[in-house]
Amino acid sequence: MRLCRLRPRPAAPRLSSPGGRCQSAGRGNREERRSRAGAGMEDWIYCLFLFCAVFSARVLGFPHGKISPACDSMLPSHGNSVSQTTSAPYRISISSTSFDPGNKITVTLQAIDNSNFKGFLLQARAVRGDGIVGTFQIIDPNTQGILCNQIQNSAMSHTNRNSKQNVTAIWVAPPGTGNVQFRATVVQSLSVFWADVRSQTLVSSSSPVDSTSGRKGCGTQKFCFSSPTGCGLDDPNCYFMSSESLGGDAFKFEMSGFSDGYIAIGFSDDTQMGNDDIYICGKNAIGQIEVQRAFSTGRTIPNILSLGDVQSIMTSFNNGIINCSFITRNPILTQSKAASNLCFIFLAQGPSSVGQIRKHLRTPFITPQKVNISSYEAVGGTSSTPSIIKAHGALMLIAWMTTGSIGMIFARYLKNAIRKSLLGKDIWFQIHLSLMVITVAETITAFILAFVAVMGWASDAEAHAVIGCIVMILSFFQPVIAFFRPSPQSKSRRFIFNWFHALNAFIIKVLAVAVIFLGLQMLDPSPSRWMVKTMGGFVGWEALVYIMLDANAWLKKKGKAKYEDPHRKIKNEMVLFLIYTCGNLAFLIALLVGIGKS
């Protein structure tokens, strides 16, 4: 190997005598100096070339992707550059969440948020032991297999430094291995790269995820919160979180629960949602489980934050159970957390859409009092609907299942069944008026209770709240319009009023029933959704009675003498009304009991 060093200067020639030989020696010295200068220039050029070669290999990286020396550390040799600490704009997606030996899993490393990358190193590592496992089949021209641990294609890297949006390969599962995570280091530029980008856990059939691991040591080595209290893996309705202090400001959190969207833990100063620090474990846009950090401001969709100092993320989704664990050094961002180590813990679950979490359909589980997440204790919590919300729901049920419905039946079907007067007005009209006034009063009260419960209008209000406001407005104006009812002598205006009054009442009833259905979905936590089904039964029951009352009216109109004995003291309408009222009260009582237990 040629060494980069300057050649030693040769000794000057000896001069034997002055004169001509001196002139000859002078010419010789000049030629020698030119020769030495040429040789020196050659050496300097060679040294510069060698320096550039070493510099480009060390600092400019390996554009050809031959990076076997980085197999263990997974870190590039880019001078003094270090991995970014922000959330990586890349993710690893996998075609399956479980595997058997020999299975082929499609693995894709892709950029998000319009990012790209030039280089990468991708490996599959055992969750236990951290060893490199399996091999890759190369299907993308921008990728190549490399030698790690004396196994060819046990890792994958780039073949060029062109900008890329995604790369894909096939990973072949080896026999005798446990759960696996894919890990990548992704290079965006010479000085910008992200290390330890991870996929969700790929579950081995021979070594399934042990969701009970987080439950070990509860009350003796860590803090645990679950609902039902002390529930285990065999309970599909079990929701669980644990917190383990690792010294300093580091904590290891784990959460698990049944959900098709997400589960989340929140840290709060009170039992009301808002101003809470949140960690979310849920499905992203491509259905993979990932961990997010967020902060809620009021009853709105939480603001997603940078993940910050979060490491050792492990995720899984197995038989509908979402499980996440991670280590974080981020401070908890509640208002009084700096002054106290105590806080309430929320444990919530809900749906998601294209990676965006939606409002949870049931009240989160909340610790019964403030807890210390550094302590060794195990507590349980329940998801109890606030009493003010229960009162809101009960009033809406009574208003539009009973008082409003009965009031409408009196106006439509029982005018001719009761031909007596009270205080100068027909009894049917007095009953109708009283019931509808009560219905409007119940609706207004329920409306106010809802606003008090959420402390104003929520910016993320969903259909239940929007339709409820429409019901409130129409209900308020219905009696106001009725106050200006034309006299019976104004037949044309009275006809128009009657149709408008009836149509508005019908619209209110349809919207009120829709609001009740949406509300019961939020209150009913049971897998069977029996409260929603009971409300469906009530709608069917009411439709059947309306059909029977309409048929009775039609028969009376077509042949009154043959159809009904005029001397009967109890009309058919009254019989049907009494039957309807009994069924109505049965459905109402069942739903009120369900709301009380929610």
Side-chain angles (χ1 to χ4, degrees):
M1 180 179 179
R2 183 179 180 183
L3 299 178
C4 180
R5 64 185 182 186
L6 297 179
R7 297 172 180 170
R9 179 179 297 177
R14 296 176 59 185
L15 299 179
S16 56
S17 64
R21 282 183 295 184
C22 180
Q23 183 179 0
S24 177
R27 288 196 300 268
N29 288 338
R30 287 195 298 271
E31 291 175 359
E32 185 176 358
R33 285 196 297 270
R34 285 198 296 268
S35 176
R36 289 202 303 269
M41 181 63 68
E42 179 184 351
D43 287 333
W44 278 110
I45 293 174
Y46 177 77
C47 288
L48 180 62
F49 173 79
L50 183 60
F51 173 77
C52 290
V54 173
F55 179 81
S56 63
R58 177 66 180 169
V59 178
L60 300 183
F62 299 87
H64 49 69
K66 301 295 185 180
I67 50 177
S68 294
C71 285
D72 293 332
S73 67
M74 297 192 70
L75 295 176
S77 297
H78 290 183
N80 296 322
S81 60
V82 295
S83 176
Q84 303 296 302
T85 58
T86 58
S87 179
Y90 311 102
R91 62 174 168 233
I92 303 172
S93 61
I94 51 181
S95 60
S96 177
T97 58
S98 60
F99 70 93
D100 291 312
N103 284 169
K104 296 183 177 181
I105 308 297
T106 301
V107 185
T108 302
L109 172 63
Q110 60 188 118
I112 56 178
D113 299 331
N114 297 319
S115 299
N116 54 51
F117 59 95
K118 295 184 177 181
F120 70 94
L121 174 60
L122 177 67
Q123 298 175 346
R125 295 215 175 194
V127 171
R128 296 182 183 275
D130 203 41
I132 301 173
V133 294
T135 56
F136 289 94
Q137 293 180 355
I138 306 304
I139 59 175
D140 190 321
N142 289 314
T143 67
Q144 63 182 331
I146 62 174
L147 182 72
C148 285
N149 291 351
Q150 304 302 315
I151 301 175
Q152 186 61 41
N153 292 351
S154 57
M156 189 174 75
S157 70
H158 53 282
T159 58
N160 55 65
R161 56 182 175 188
N162 298 335
S163 294
K164 309 168 186 63
Q165 288 286 327
N166 60 76
V167 291
T168 301
I170 304 295
W171 180 74
V172 182
T177 187
N179 301 331
V180 170
Q181 271 190 330
F182 292 94
R183 302 184 192 178
T185 297
V186 189
V187 178
Q188 191 176 82
S189 65
L190 179 64
S191 59
V192 179
F193 69 90
W194 281 264
D196 205 31
V197 179
R198 299 193 181 201
S199 72
Q200 74 177 84
T201 302
L202 188 60
V203 180
S204 170
S205 59
S206 61
S207 180
V209 169
D210 182 8
S211 296
T212 62
S213 60
R215 293 151 175 80
K216 296 176 182 178
C218 285
T220 58
Q221 300 175 359
K222 64 179 74 173
F223 170 84
C224 295
F225 173 48
S226 62
S227 182
T229 303
C231 59
L233 178 62
D234 56 344
D235 186 353
N237 296 317
C238 181
Y239 293 87
F240 172 85
M241 70 82 58
S242 67
S243 169
E244 182 180 1
S245 176
L246 302 180
D249 54 358
F251 283 90
K252 179 179 180 180
F253 290 123
E254 180 175 359
M255 63 180 107
S256 66
F258 184 86
S259 177
D260 192 45
Y262 70 92
I263 56 174
I265 52 176
F267 305 93
S268 179
D269 292 326
D270 51 39
T271 58
Q272 299 296 321
M273 299 186 65
N275 298 321
D276 308 323
D277 198 3
I278 301 170
Y279 285 99
I280 302 166
C281 176
K283 292 184 176 180
N284 59 23
I286 58 174
Q288 304 294 327
I289 304 298
E290 67 178 8
V291 174
Q292 293 178 300
R293 186 186 180 207
F295 188 82
S296 65
T297 54
R299 290 176 175 267
T300 60
I301 295 177
N303 299 317
I304 301 299
L305 306 177
S306 169
L307 200 54
D309 194 356
V310 175
Q311 302 172 344
S312 302
I313 299 175
M314 293 182 61
T315 64
S316 68
F317 182 71
N318 193 20
N319 295 326
I321 304 295
I322 294 177
N323 184 282
C324 289
S325 67
F326 54 91
I327 295 174
T328 176
R329 289 179 172 82
N330 295 322
I332 294 179
L333 301 178
T334 61
Q335 292 178 347
S336 64
K337 192 67 174 64
S340 170
N341 206 34
L342 302 176
C343 61
F344 287 97
I345 293 181
F346 289 65
L347 184 55
Q349 62 89 14
S352 63
S353 176
V354 197
Q356 298 292 321
I357 68 171
R358 299 302 181 194
K359 185 175 181 180
H360 43 78
L361 300 179
R362 59 186 294 180
T363 304
F365 304 106
I366 308 174
T367 53
Q369 65 277 326
K370 285 188 174 182
V371 297
N372 185 347
I373 59 174
S374 301
S375 65
Y376 298 156
E377 61 178 319
V379 301
T382 58
S383 176
S384 178
T385 303
S387 298
I388 192 170
I389 296 297
K390 292 180 181 179
H392 163 80
L395 284 172
M396 288 298 292
L397 286 179
I398 295 171
W400 295 106
M401 284 183 66
T402 305
T403 57
S405 296
I406 293 176
M408 292 178 183
I409 286 178
F410 265 92
R412 181 176 176 84
Y413 299 107
L414 301 181
K415 292 181 180 180
N416 299 321
I418 305 175
R419 296 182 176 275
K420 294 183 180 180
S421 299
L422 178 66
L423 300 177
K425 298 288 184 179
D426 291 340
I427 287 182
W428 74 264
F429 178 77
Q430 298 284 34
I431 295 175
H432 166 75
L433 178 62
S434 300
L435 288 174
M436 298 316 294
V437 169
I438 293 172
T439 299
V440 173
E442 291 167 339
T443 303
I444 293 174
T445 305
F447 181 80
I448 294 173
L449 290 176
F451 263 77
V452 172
V454 300
M455 296 177 290
W457 180 262
S459 62
D460 63 338
E462 297 182 353
H464 176 77
V466 175
I467 299 175
C469 288
I470 296 174
V471 170
M472 173 64 227
I473 294 171
L474 295 178
S475 300
F476 177 79
F477 283 107
Q478 182 78 337
V480 174
I481 295 172
F483 182 78
F484 297 98
R485 179 180 57 166
S487 64
Q489 288 75 26
S490 302
K491 292 186 178 181
S492 60
R493 288 188 296 171
R494 185 65 174 256
F495 176 80
I496 294 174
F497 166 81
N498 287 340
W499 269 102
F500 180 80
H501 189 66
L503 179 62
N504 191 48
F506 176 75
I507 293 173
I508 295 173
K509 180 63 183 289
V510 171
L511 293 178
V513 170
V515 167
I516 291 173
F517 269 112
L518 293 172
L520 291 176
Q521 288 181 351
M522 299 167 65
L523 291 175
D524 187 1
S526 64
S528 64
R529 293 300 178 100
W530 72 269
M531 293 175 67
V532 176
K533 294 177 181 178
T534 301
M535 185 63 191
F538 165 76
V539 172
W541 167 254
E542 189 170 52
L544 175 63
V545 172
Y546 268 68
I547 292 172
M548 295 174 66
L549 286 168
D550 278 328
N552 177 72
W554 182 81
L555 289 173
K556 288 181 66 175
K557 184 177 180 179
K558 291 296 182 180
K560 181 177 180 180
K562 297 180 180 180
Y563 174 68
E564 185 177 56
D565 183 0
H567 300 292
R568 285 183 59 184
K569 294 184 178 181
I570 302 178
K571 305 294 185 180
N572 290 341
E573 297 95 321
M574 292 303 299
V575 174
L576 291 173
F577 169 72
L578 292 174
I579 295 174
Y580 167 76
T581 303
C582 293
N584 183 297
L585 292 175
F587 283 108
L588 176 65
I589 292 171
L591 290 175
L592 290 176
V593 171
I595 289 177
K597 293 183 176 181
S598 66

